[in-house]
């Protein structure tokens, strides 16, 4: 008899029809966030509509390429997990400042290229820091990711930030309808439909929104059929010291956020991220960021929005997200298709986003269930990290009086919460003065996981999932 090695769900390749449906679902979940960065930066620089459209198509193209590199991988590039890539919001404020103070787009792209190269070089260093991310820290970070994303869903539910009818009852009603559809499909539909519950909810919501005037497909007719991004479309990059320093700070922030996202996806898929895998994933981030600077777009990172979709659908195949990357490449090359997706109303995305982002937070709680919550240090770490992570989300202007580099780090709830959790874990569990002595055999280990009286076998099983 010939024995075959079981294929891990992450490496399994679903049928083509499933790949297309699951991949499209991932694209719809992240599309609004993907195009937001070029819209914000281009709008702040008062670029003409043609240049804005060019930035969006270039962004979608490199989003797709970056996702393919991350999921499929080659040599030492790519985490090889179901991870979507998109422009990081952490870079928005520095890029707007660089672009509007005389440097323009060439100065932005020069700093982005340098930041991408720095990420490639620093990736092995971050890989060696993985021991500072035990379940106590990873669970807290995943929880912060989910909670910090909920206001994004809230903006969508209300009609989209800056919409003239923001908060109108009809927007909330449409979002609530989509939420009910997603829950109904998730709870009562056949197995395959349950896995595309978000896609079904968005499709039904879009169908209902058209006759009620929520969207206009006129922009589809105006969009071109083919558009190809060329290197340095806006001119050769220029390199300004202040712009490079600001973008290097952004690079450190995005590496911290991406580490949390990788660990979260690893927990959800049952393939734990080790030091080498983390380094390979961060190296792919750096490569994608360099490509962004060359092809007229911005720094790239793992998109937390799609982490929730992986947890909700339990579809763990990286090839599904690779298919989503292929769809993004098509959207970047065929602007008319991108215009169709862009016509989806924000409340439709909001109804689905509530479920997806809430799932991320719930996954963090599931990871924290492995931790000894009777220990005061562990409770303090979780409480303070979540509080610090939520503060800039609830009060966006909290750090406006601080220097730019500090605002860049702390304005992101994900990076603020992650850094706080890592620092407190080092203080509580890694300093010799705290970690010394003979541990209580029924107390917590140095990573915060409870060690029971059976010598730790039960806790180790819970920790590894084996």
């Amino acid at each position: 008899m010939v024995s075959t090695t079981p294929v891990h769900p992450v490496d399994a390749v679903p049928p083509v029809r499933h790949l297309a449906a699951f991949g499209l679902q991932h694209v719809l979940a992240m599309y609004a966030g993907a195009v937001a960065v070029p819209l914000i930066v281009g709008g702040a620089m008062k670029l003409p509509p043609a240049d804005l459209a060019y930035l969006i198509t270039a962004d979608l193209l490199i989003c797709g390429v970056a996702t393919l590199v991350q999921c499929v991988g080659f040599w030492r590039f790519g985490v090889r997990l179901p991870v979507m890539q998109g422009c990081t919001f952490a870079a928005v404020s520095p890029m707007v400042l660089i672009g509007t103070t005389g440097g323009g787009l060439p100065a932005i792209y020069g700093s982005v290229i340098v930041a991408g190269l720095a990420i490639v070089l620093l990736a092995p260093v971050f890989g060696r820091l993985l021991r500072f991310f035990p379940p106590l820290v990873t669970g807290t970070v995943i929880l912060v990711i989910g909670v910090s994303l909920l206001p994004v869903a809230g903006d969508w539910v209300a009609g989209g930030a800056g919409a003239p009818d923001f908060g109108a009852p009809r927007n909330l009603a449409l979002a609530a309808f989509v939420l009910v559809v997603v829950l109904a499909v998730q709870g009562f539909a056949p197995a395959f439909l349950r896995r595309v519950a978000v896609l079904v909810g968005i499709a039904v919501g879009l169908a209902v929104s058209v006759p009620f005037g929520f969207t206009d497909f006129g922009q589809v007719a105006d969009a071109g059929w083919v558009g190809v991004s060329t290197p340095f479309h806006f001119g050769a990059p220029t390199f300004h010291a202040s712009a490079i320093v600001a973008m290097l700070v952004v690079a450190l922030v995005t590496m911290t956020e991406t580490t949390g996202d990788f660990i979260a996806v690893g927990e959800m898929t049952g393939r734990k991220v080790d030091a080498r895998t983390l380094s390979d994933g961060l190296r792919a981030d750096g490569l994608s960021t360099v490509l962004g600077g060359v092809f007229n777009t911005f720094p790239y990172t793992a998109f937390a929005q799609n982490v929730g979709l992986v947890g909700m659908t339990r579809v763990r195949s990286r090839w599904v997200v690779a298919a989503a990357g292929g769809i993004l490449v098509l959207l970047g090359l065929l602007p008319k298709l991108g215009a169709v997706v862009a016509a989806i109303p924000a409340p439709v995305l909001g109804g689905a986003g509530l479920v997806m982002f809430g799932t991320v937070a719930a996954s963090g709680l599931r990871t924290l269930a492995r931790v000894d919550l009777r220990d005061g240090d562990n409770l303090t770490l979780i409480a303070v990290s979540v509080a610090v992570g939520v503060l800039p989300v609830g009060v966006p202007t909290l750090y406006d009086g601080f220097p730019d580099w500090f605002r860049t780090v702390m304005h992101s709830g994900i990076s603020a919460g992650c850094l706080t959790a890592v620092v407190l874990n080092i203080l509580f569990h890694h300093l010799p003065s705290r970690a010394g002595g003979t541990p209580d055999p029924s107390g917590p280990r140095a990573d915060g996981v409870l060690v029971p009286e059976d010598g730790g076998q039960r806790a180790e099983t819970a920790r590894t999932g084996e």
Side-chain angles (χ1 to χ4, degrees):
M1 295 183 63
V2 179
S3 60
T4 58
T5 304
V7 177
H8 193 282
V10 169
D11 299 318
V13 182
V16 174
R17 65 182 186 278
H18 292 180
L19 278 175
F22 294 150
L24 179 60
Q25 187 171 236
H26 272 282
V27 170
L28 295 179
M30 61 85 69
Y31 187 90
V35 301
V37 173
L39 281 174
I40 294 170
V41 175
M45 295 178 62
K46 296 181 172 54
L47 296 180
D51 286 347
L52 273 178
Y54 193 94
L55 286 180
I56 291 172
T57 54
D59 175 37
L60 293 174
L61 175 64
I62 304 302
C63 273
V65 172
T67 299
L68 287 168
V69 171
Q70 200 65 271
C71 295
V72 178
F74 67 93
W75 190 51
R76 295 298 303 277
F77 291 85
V79 72
R80 295 170 175 84
L81 286 172
V83 175
M84 289 290 289
Q85 297 288 105
C87 285
T88 174
F89 284 87
V92 169
S93 295
M95 288 192 302
V96 168
L97 185 64
I98 296 167
T100 55
T101 55
L105 287 172
I108 292 177
Y109 295 140
S111 64
V112 167
I113 291 171
V114 173
L117 293 173
I119 293 173
V120 172
L121 295 175
L122 291 174
V125 177
F126 259 71
R128 288 193 287 270
L129 298 178
L130 197 60
R131 66 191 184 94
F132 297 113
F133 289 85
L136 174 62
V137 173
T138 59
T140 303
V141 171
I142 297 169
L143 176 60
V144 170
I145 291 173
V147 173
S148 65
L149 285 173
L150 286 175
V152 176
D155 281 340
W156 291 346
V157 166
D165 61 343
F166 187 86
R170 74 183 204 132
N171 290 339
L172 274 66
L174 178 58
F177 171 74
V178 172
L179 176 60
V180 169
V181 172
V182 172
L183 293 176
V185 173
Q186 183 76 21
F188 304 104
F192 171 71
L193 284 180
R194 286 203 298 270
R195 292 183 173 183
V196 291
V198 170
L199 178 60
V200 173
I202 291 175
V204 173
L206 179 60
V208 170
S209 68
V210 172
F212 286 95
F214 279 92
T215 189
D216 179 15
F217 286 98
Q219 58 185 328
V220 178
D222 297 334
W225 281 104
V226 179
V228 179
S229 299
T230 55
F232 308 126
H233 174 80
F234 296 99
T238 58
F239 302 92
H240 300 257
S242 58
I244 290 172
V245 170
M247 207 56 64
L248 288 175
V249 174
V250 170
L252 293 175
V253 173
T254 57
M255 292 177 79
T256 304
E257 290 184 359
T258 300
T259 298
D261 291 331
F262 286 167
I263 292 172
V265 174
E267 293 278 349
M268 292 177 179
T269 58
R271 175 174 282 179
K272 293 187 73 67
V273 174
D274 57 22
R276 176 178 174 132
T277 304
L278 175 59
S279 298
D280 292 351
L282 291 173
R283 198 176 283 113
D285 261 13
L287 174 62
S288 301
T289 297
V290 172
L291 290 176
V294 172
F295 285 92
N296 320 293
T297 179
F298 308 114
Y300 285 87
T301 187
F303 246 37
Q305 286 92 322
N306 295 83
V307 174
L309 191 55
V310 172
M312 176 186 169
T313 62
R314 298 186 179 89
V315 177
R316 296 180 280 176
S317 171
R318 60 190 171 106
W319 297 104
V320 163
V321 180
I327 294 172
L328 285 172
V329 170
L330 284 178
L331 293 177
L333 295 175
L334 302 174
K336 198 171 285 289
L337 286 180
V340 172
V341 179
I344 299 173
V348 172
L349 297 174
L354 289 174
V355 182
M356 292 188 300
F357 303 160
T359 301
V360 179
S363 298
L365 293 176
R366 181 174 60 188
T367 301
L368 288 174
R370 309 173 187 177
V371 175
D372 179 21
L373 297 181
R374 298 173 300 176
D375 183 271
D377 289 347
N378 294 344
L379 279 179
T380 300
L381 183 150
I382 296 168
V384 174
S385 300
V386 172
V388 172
V390 170
L391 272 177
V393 177
V395 189
T397 58
L398 181 67
Y399 301 117
D400 281 3
F402 287 79
D404 290 340
W405 67 267
F406 187 88
R407 292 208 308 268
T408 300
V409 175
M410 299 300 292
H411 186 68
S412 166
I414 297 174
S415 62
C418 183
L419 288 172
T420 303
V422 170
V423 170
L424 290 180
N425 178 57
I426 293 172
L427 291 176
F428 290 161
H429 297 300
H430 289 274
L431 289 184
S433 59
R434 298 296 301 261
T438 303
D440 181 351
S442 62
R445 300 188 317 207
D447 59 4
V449 178
L450 182 64
V451 179
E453 294 179 357
D454 63 1
Q457 183 61 41
R458 220 167 43 234
E460 186 63 23
T461 300
R463 185 177 71 87
T464 60
E466 297 173 354

